[in-house]
Amino acid sequence: DTAVSQTPKYLVTQMGNDKSIKCEQNLGHDTMYWYKQDSKKFLKIMFSYNNKELIINETVPNRFSPKSPDKAHLNLHINSLELGDSAVYFCASSVQAGSNEKLFFGSGTQLSVL
Amino acid sequence: GNSVTQMEGPVTLSEEAFLTINCTYTATGYPSLFWYVQYPGEGLQLLLKATKADDKGSNKGFEATYRKETTSFHLEKGSVQVSDSAVYFCALGGTSYGKLTFGQGTILTVHP
């Protein structure tokens, strides 16, 4: 069984559209994350939730809105998509929100904005 | 703020060659250090970690030692295999909340 699963795997859309990426973890972890990986493989954290509460919100445009209906799910909604949003988005989870924690990553969603 | 610098890639080696991927960091306090690996088409997986100075993390033949005096955490493997071809990321643990700061990634290609 997949530990951290995200859908869709590929997302191709036009500029200006609104889209969502879903993430679910079946590991019983308390903490979930969204990371963005650009075309040069550089990874940067966007958000983190601990038990449905937002604990990290890096300088991300307001067009990006995470939602955590329960601690097993963290979805990412993006409004008014721009060309620069094209990237691979990774969901991850960890047992808890600590500095030594091992992160478990999903396989990524490749977003292409045309 | 925290930052991680990895050696530029891509790195191309023949099978059974020795591998070193350099990683240095800047941080306040005493962060944990990690190496993650990303195989083609997959998410990142933890390869190894070290939580304090002089700790050595090891897994699957890979090793890295937490060197506080040189602020480094270089990844090494004595004999690489084709299956080691992947992108390797050095990462720094945050002081709280599990926030990781990643290096830019190093692409490794191993030829038979």
Side-chain angles (χ1 to χ4, degrees), chain B residues 10-13 19 21 80 84-88 106-110:
Chain B
V11 174
T12 303
L13 295 173
L19 169 70
I21 301 178
V80 293
D84 294 327
S85 298
V87 185
Y88 292 82
T106 302
I107 299 172
L108 170 67
T109 303
V110 180

Side-chain angles (χ1 to χ4, degrees), chain A residues 9 31 33 35 37 40-43 45 48 55-56 58 90 97-108, chain B residues 32 34 36 38 41-46 49 51 87 89 93-100 102-105 107:
Chain A
K9 190 167 178 63
T31 312
Y33 311 80
Y35 278 83
Q37 185 177 46
K40 295 184 179 177
K41 301 290 187 186
F42 187 68
L43 264 171
I45 191 166
S48 176
I55 57 171
I56 295 174
E58 293 292 291
F90 285 100
S99 60
N100 292 342
E101 292 299 313
K102 172 182 176 179
L103 266 60
F104 292 76
F105 283 81
S107 56
Chain B
S32 294
F34 305 82
Y36 279 81
Q38 183 180 23
E42 298 182 12
L44 281 72
Q45 306 172 24
L46 179 66
K49 75 174 188 181
T51 57
V87 185
F89 293 90
T95 52
S96 64
Y97 294 144
K99 174 183 170 182
L100 288 182
F102 284 90
Q104 70 269 36
I107 299 172

